[in-house]
Amino acid sequence: MIDVRRGADRYAGGDRAAGIATRHAFSFGEHYDPDNLRFGPLLACNEERLAAGAGFDEHPHSHTEIVTWVVEGELTHRDSTGAVSLVRPGDVQHFGAGSGARHVERNDGPVPLRFVQTWLAPLTAPDSLAPSYALVKGIADSTPYAVPAAGVVMHVRRPGAGERVAVPAAPRVYVHVVRGDLRLDGEELGPGDSARITGEKDLELVAGSPGELLIWELP
């Protein structure tokens, strides 16, 4: 089954007066939808835009693996594990909240910041997990990034025009289009669109223009 969700149908959130604009793919906060709570371990896929100087002040997380992909600008991250990082386009940031941790996310740069953030539920009892932090600088195209605590693997793909991208034959696959125009099994996908794929094999994405995709293999 292939369930295509359009970027235009995402829930609008954030605080525009504070320079924060968020588009939620799943039920989130005041936008409660009992039919759209999660996809396997995937709990959230948020498109975030922060104006220069805007950000999220220190706040708590627990029981969540948080993976961040910067599209434009630079993200300043600080957390209670002691990590302080500047995350740029092409970097993969992974913050494991474990039994409980706090972090700050800000745009301390002079230009707007845009990033995609995915939240995943861990496989084991969260209270047994210590908080963790990892940053992979400049991940290469098609290099898999595993999140063992959630039993998932993320692939970053940047196809050129006309290039075909194989969809992993996992029990579930989540595809998020960062940029570009693609075709999946007859459906046209554009920036902000996503596809939730269950029990499919031998699928391919075909790029109509140079693109960027986040592809999640899920149990």
Side-chain angles (χ1 to χ4, degrees), residues 68-181:
T68 303
W69 177 258
V70 172
V71 181
E72 298 170 349
E74 298 178 339
L75 171 66
T76 299
H77 170 98
R78 298 190 299 275
D79 67 50
S80 54
T81 72
V84 179
S85 297
L86 191 62
V87 190
R88 298 183 172 93
D91 301 344
V92 174
Q93 177 182 262
H94 175 200
F95 177 46
S99 56
R102 304 179 68 85
H103 72 161
V104 176
E105 298 169 296
R106 296 196 54 80
N107 179 9
D108 291 329
V111 299
L113 165 66
R114 182 159 69 101
F115 62 94
V116 179
Q117 191 168 88
T118 305
W119 297 11
L120 301 146
L123 294 171
T124 59
D127 291 340
S128 68
L129 296 175
S132 63
Y133 181 83
L135 179 64
V136 178
K137 291 285 192 179
I139 193 167
D141 180 51
S142 78
T143 299
Y145 181 81
V147 184
V152 310
V153 177
M154 183 185 76
H155 303 264
V156 178
R157 298 303 313 268
R158 305 179 185 92
E163 185 176 344
R164 295 177 178 271
V165 175
V167 175
R172 297 183 183 92
V173 177
Y174 186 83
V175 177
H176 174 84
V177 181
V178 177
R179 53 168 60 94
D181 301 300

Side-chain angles (χ1 to χ4, degrees), residues 5 7 15 33 37 48-49 74 89 91 114 118 138 146 149 187 191 194 199 203 211:
R5 305 289 180 109
D15 183 348
D33 180 353
L37 297 177
E48 303 282 3
R49 294 176 183 266
E74 298 178 339
D91 301 344
R114 182 159 69 101
T118 305
E187 289 277 0
S194 63
L203 287 179

